[in-house]
Amino acid sequence: MTDSYDIAVIGAGPAGMSAAITASAAGARVVVLDDKPLAGGQIYRNVTDSPLQNTDLLGEDYTKGAALVEQFNACRAEKITAANVWHVGDNGEILFSQAGASASLTAREVVIGVGAMERPFPVPGWHLPGVMTAGSAQVMLKSDGLVRDDSVFAGSGPLLYLIVAQYLRLGVKVRALVDTTPKQNYMAATGLLPGALGHTDVLTKGIGLLNEIRRAGVPVYKYAEDLQIRGEQQAQGLSFTAKGVSHSLDAEHIFLHQGVIPNLNMTRATGVEHVWNREQLSWQPQLNSWGQTSVAHIAVAGDSSGIIGADAAALSGQLVAWQQLARLGLISPEDADNHSQPLQQKLKSYQGLRRFIDRLYKPADALRKPEQPETMVCRCEEQTRGQLKAAFDQGARLPDELKGLTRCGMGPCQGRQCGHTVSELLAQWQGCEVEEVGYYRLRSPMRLINLTELARFQPHQQASVVEVKS
């Protein structure tokens, strides 16, 4: 028995599953570590064991994931579920927690496929109880079949419209959809539409969701600005301006969403170089055309590499697997090229669609960079925009300098909810580009762990390989 693998895949979403299927079928010793009890990631969460009687109501983009999950479950890769990875070392060592204990394993190559997270939405009151993300609404629905009746959904983007439509199909009342997509975005995106026409099915689905919402009689407020969540100890409603008219909606549950960004704490902590994506307004790992990072043994696939969507994420997982198989000497570079060229062509076809979506749903500056001093930026340490500006005035010019003066970014989320906002605010205050400001310097542990987990530590023993009959 050995604790060494050829490839360790972190994350069992579309990218991670596809990488594991491809690499294990080619004979590599593969282990997959995922923090959920079932494979699927966020997009295919619980697709093979849904609490809902009729999963068709969630849409084809969800239910089609069942085939990929079943293929992954049947592949020869070892699966370690409910495992929180908190360290990836320079030598391929991976430390993780599972069932209240810690363990270690090593791998010659590592694939990071931990997906995306929702972009912070720092408006006044976003920290109040009763305010969650649209992604949280989907997690509750897919995991436990839970919904929040008479909620207000605010923001923009395909995920927001999808969850509203899913609520309506389940017979759940939606108070209103407050759409913050700026009016000028529609004109700006028009020039990019020809590049997206290769995926008219996706465009048609988006239009269909909006029509579905309107037909259901849900009030839709377009071009919403100046969002403010009312309440002292609990959310009581949402105030905003739409087309020059002020509105105030009463609601105890408000779901916010303005797109997703790569979940980059793991790639940051491993020392991978990152770049600022001006189209997606987010940091992402710097990769070559194979998904390889600046760290020799680490590749990144799926939305962790930059937002590309579920279908493209699965393709990128395969692409990374072929590259790592060649690096391991399990296939020739020529074989890797032959397998990879059609995948790269398919991925290229998604670029035009992605540019169109990114431009159409580009969040307004005021919804990314708060303007009011009392708006909370770091929810963990309760640091407001005004407090951060005061620290800037004292000389903090970089995220870590701001962290040192205010503790912003030191809380349980480890900067996930404030990191991008801090980078953009500091750039704005200095009149420079975000690239010049940078991001927090992150280190292991990448997830919160306790002393009990550390005390209960032992190397992970590789499972015996079981032949899977086709």
Side-chain angles (χ1 to χ4, degrees):
M1 302 292 284
T2 176
D3 64 340
S4 181
Y5 297 84
D6 292 320
I7 300 174
V9 179
I10 305 173
M17 289 189 292
S18 295
I21 293 167
T22 302
S24 61
R29 293 169 298 164
V30 180
V31 61
V32 182
L33 302 102
D34 191 56
D35 60 359
K36 301 175 184 64
L38 297 173
Q42 169 61 7
I43 184 66
Y44 301 139
R45 180 186 289 264
N46 283 10
V47 68
T48 55
D49 189 26
S50 175
L52 302 176
Q53 291 184 349
N54 185 5
T55 56
D56 290 340
L57 296 174
L58 299 185
E60 181 185 356
D61 287 337
Y62 173 66
T63 56
K64 72 180 182 182
L68 180 60
V69 173
E70 289 170 356
Q71 187 180 1
F72 168 73
N73 289 337
C75 81
R76 300 177 66 217
E78 182 180 344
K79 294 93 177 175
I80 305 177
T81 60
N84 285 310
V85 174
W86 51 268
H87 175 75
V88 178
D90 295 338
N91 59 352
E93 181 183 38
I94 295 176
L95 306 180
F96 61 97
S97 295
Q98 183 188 45
S102 291
S104 67
L105 57 83
T106 59
R108 296 168 63 190
E109 300 284 338
V110 177
V111 178
I112 296 178
V114 293
M117 56 170 281
E118 285 179 271
R119 183 188 300 277
F121 205 135
V123 295
W126 75 307
H127 61 287
L128 291 171
V131 183
M132 293 180 283
T133 66
S136 299
Q138 271 211 331
V139 169
M140 292 191 298
L141 179 59
K142 293 177 180 178
S143 297
D144 303 300
L146 296 177
V147 296
R148 290 291 180 262
D149 193 63
D150 208 28
S151 299
V152 170
F153 289 80
S156 67
L159 175 61
L160 184 73
Y161 311 140
L162 175 61
I163 184 61
V164 172
Q166 289 171 339
Y167 261 45
L168 295 172
R169 294 167 193 167
L170 292 167
V172 182
K173 181 181 178 182
V174 174
R175 176 76 174 81
L177 170 60
V178 179
D179 194 327
T180 62
T181 308
K183 187 175 183 179
Q184 61 268 25
N185 283 20
Y186 291 92
M187 183 61 68
T190 300
L192 299 174
L193 183 58
L197 294 179
H199 295 275
T200 54
D201 56 329
V202 178
L203 300 175
T204 302
K205 287 177 185 177
I207 296 171
L209 289 174
L210 288 171
N211 289 336
E212 185 177 350
I213 293 168
R214 292 190 180 96
R215 287 196 302 269
V218 176
V220 178
Y221 300 88
K222 296 195 67 175
Y223 316 132
E225 302 174 298
D226 305 321
L227 273 67
Q228 182 166 344
I229 296 162
R230 296 183 283 103
E232 295 295 331
Q233 303 300 319
Q234 166 76 34
Q236 297 178 348
L238 177 68
S239 299
F240 59 95
T241 301
K243 299 181 179 180
V245 179
S246 297
H247 301 271
S248 185
L249 305 176
D250 294 332
E252 294 182 356
H253 301 286
I254 300 168
F255 293 106
L256 303 176
H257 179 79
Q258 55 177 350
V260 294
I261 55 178
N263 189 348
L264 49 76
N265 277 42
M266 184 172 294
T267 52
R268 282 279 180 183
T270 56
V272 167
E273 292 183 7
H274 287 68
V275 295
W276 178 254
N277 186 323
R278 298 190 181 190
E279 293 181 344
Q280 297 188 350
L281 296 171
S282 64
W283 293 102
Q284 65 183 46
Q286 186 169 16
L287 309 173
N288 66 12
S289 60
W290 293 81
Q292 183 67 34
T293 73
S294 58
V295 178
H297 65 288
I298 296 178
V300 181
D303 282 343
S304 305
S305 66
I307 305 307
I308 56 178
D311 292 339
L315 294 173
S316 76
Q318 296 177 49
L319 181 67
V320 163
W322 290 118
Q323 181 257 164
Q324 292 197 333
L325 287 166
R327 286 171 53 86
L328 291 165
L330 296 176
I331 61 172
S332 68
E334 292 74 21
D335 284 342
D337 284 338
N338 291 335
H339 286 292
S340 299
Q341 286 178 3
L343 295 172
Q344 289 173 330
Q345 288 297 319
K346 290 179 182 178
L347 282 168
K348 188 175 181 180
S349 74
Y350 282 96
Q351 293 177 0
L353 173 65
R354 192 71 252 170
R355 283 194 289 269
F356 173 77
I357 292 175
D358 291 339
R359 188 61 191 88
L360 177 59
Y361 297 117
K362 178 182 179 181
D365 286 353
L367 298 181
R368 304 190 327 271
K369 298 175 282 188
E371 299 173 343
Q372 299 184 33
E374 65 274 15
T375 302
M376 199 72 69
V377 175
C378 178
R379 308 201 308 183
C380 297
E381 296 296 329
E382 298 185 341
Q383 292 294 304
T384 65
R385 192 254 195 206
Q387 290 170 308
L388 299 185
K389 182 59 165 63
F392 170 79
D393 293 338
Q394 293 175 37
R397 294 294 181 268
L398 302 176
D400 284 332
E401 295 173 351
L402 199 67
K403 180 192 291 187
L405 287 178
T406 66
R407 291 188 56 83
C408 182
M410 288 188 181
C413 86
Q414 298 176 303
R416 289 174 175 85
Q417 287 297 313
C418 66
H420 279 73
T421 307
V422 164
S423 291
E424 289 206 86
L425 283 175
L426 285 172
Q428 181 185 59
W429 293 336
Q430 295 177 75
C432 67
E433 298 295 334
V434 178
E435 295 95 321
E436 300 177 51
V437 170
Y439 193 81
Y440 295 130
R441 182 180 178 183
L442 302 179
R443 303 178 179 88
S444 296
M446 305 165 186
R447 294 288 190 98
L448 297 181
I449 56 175
N450 56 48
L451 293 177
T452 301
E453 290 175 85
L454 287 175
R456 300 175 58 193
F457 182 88
Q458 62 182 1
H460 172 75
Q461 293 298 309
Q462 182 175 342
S464 300
V465 175
V466 178
E467 294 292 337
V468 179
K469 296 180 179 180
S470 59

